[in-house]
Amino acid sequence: MEQANGIFNKYYNLFDSQLAKVPAAQQFQSKTGVPKVYGAAGVAGVGLLLVFFNLGAALLVNLVGFGYAAYASMCAIESPGKEDDAQWLTYWTVFGLCNVLEYFTGFLLYWFPFYYVIKLGFLIWLMLPNTRGAERLYYSGIKPIVLHSRNSAQQAKSTAAPSTDDGDKKAN
């Protein structure tokens, strides 16, 4: 029990220190007397229940996929390093491709039970700096396909294009 209590206190303190940077969380705690960590956990729990029972799930999942990523992208732009910029640029590439694919396959995907719960987990996996899911997916799947398509298109263009010497003689 002490080990579980220690783990709880570790994460409680971690979330409390992160929420201390959010003025709305500070204001919530001062007005209600409820610790900001409990308020954030309550909001996250209600949101997860709404997604689980498919009540506004599309909106909530897309808000998570867009809202946090937009905030983190703005922070990355303002930071001096370039590594986080690349992470979020890769995320937006993968997120955009997933949205395009979902647009064309949505009529099939919505029949899967817990589709939005799975999508939420997938988006969180893509975003987390610990997993770097977007980078994994980009480098293992998207990039090879794009490079292969680009090389095929360049080969087709080079074999179909007439030589410039013949074109110059015909033009004169």
Side-chain angles (χ1 to χ4, degrees):
M1 188 64 169
E2 287 182 32
Q3 184 180 9
N5 219 3
I7 292 171
F8 172 80
N9 287 334
K10 174 186 169 186
Y11 285 107
Y12 180 91
N13 292 333
L14 176 69
F15 288 129
D16 189 55
S17 66
Q18 291 298 315
L19 288 171
K21 301 173 187 174
V22 180
Q26 296 284 58
Q27 189 176 23
F28 170 81
Q29 182 171 330
S30 66
K31 286 187 175 183
T32 63
V34 176
K36 55 188 167 282
V37 175
Y38 294 158
V43 169
V46 168
L48 191 57
L49 281 174
L50 289 172
V51 169
F52 185 78
F53 290 113
N54 206 16
L55 301 171
L59 174 66
L60 291 172
V61 169
N62 284 327
L63 280 175
V64 169
F66 180 78
Y68 174 74
Y71 171 74
S73 296
M74 287 186 279
C75 291
I77 290 168
E78 298 302 322
S79 72
K82 295 289 183 203
E83 183 178 321
D84 52 356
D85 296 356
Q87 176 190 352
W88 288 108
L89 187 59
T90 306
Y91 171 81
W92 286 114
T93 302
V94 174
F95 181 75
L97 180 63
C98 289
N99 278 333
V100 169
L101 291 174
E102 183 184 25
Y103 177 79
F104 289 109
T105 59
F107 64 95
L108 295 173
L109 294 174
Y110 300 131
W111 287 97
F112 285 102
F114 306 113
Y115 167 70
Y116 287 110
V117 175
I118 294 167
K119 182 179 176 182
L120 178 64
F122 176 69
L123 289 176
I124 290 172
W125 177 76
L126 288 177
M127 280 189 257
L128 286 177
N130 297 345
T131 61
R132 294 196 174 272
E135 289 180 3
R136 285 184 185 185
L137 188 59
Y138 176 78
Y139 288 113
S140 66
I142 297 170
K143 183 179 178 181
I145 292 169
V146 169
L147 289 178
H148 176 72
S149 298
R150 187 176 69 184
N151 291 340
S152 297
Q154 286 175 344
Q155 284 178 343
K157 183 180 174 184
S158 67
T159 58
S163 67
T164 56
D165 292 338
D166 293 342
D168 289 342
K169 291 177 184 175
K170 289 178 185 175
N172 291 331

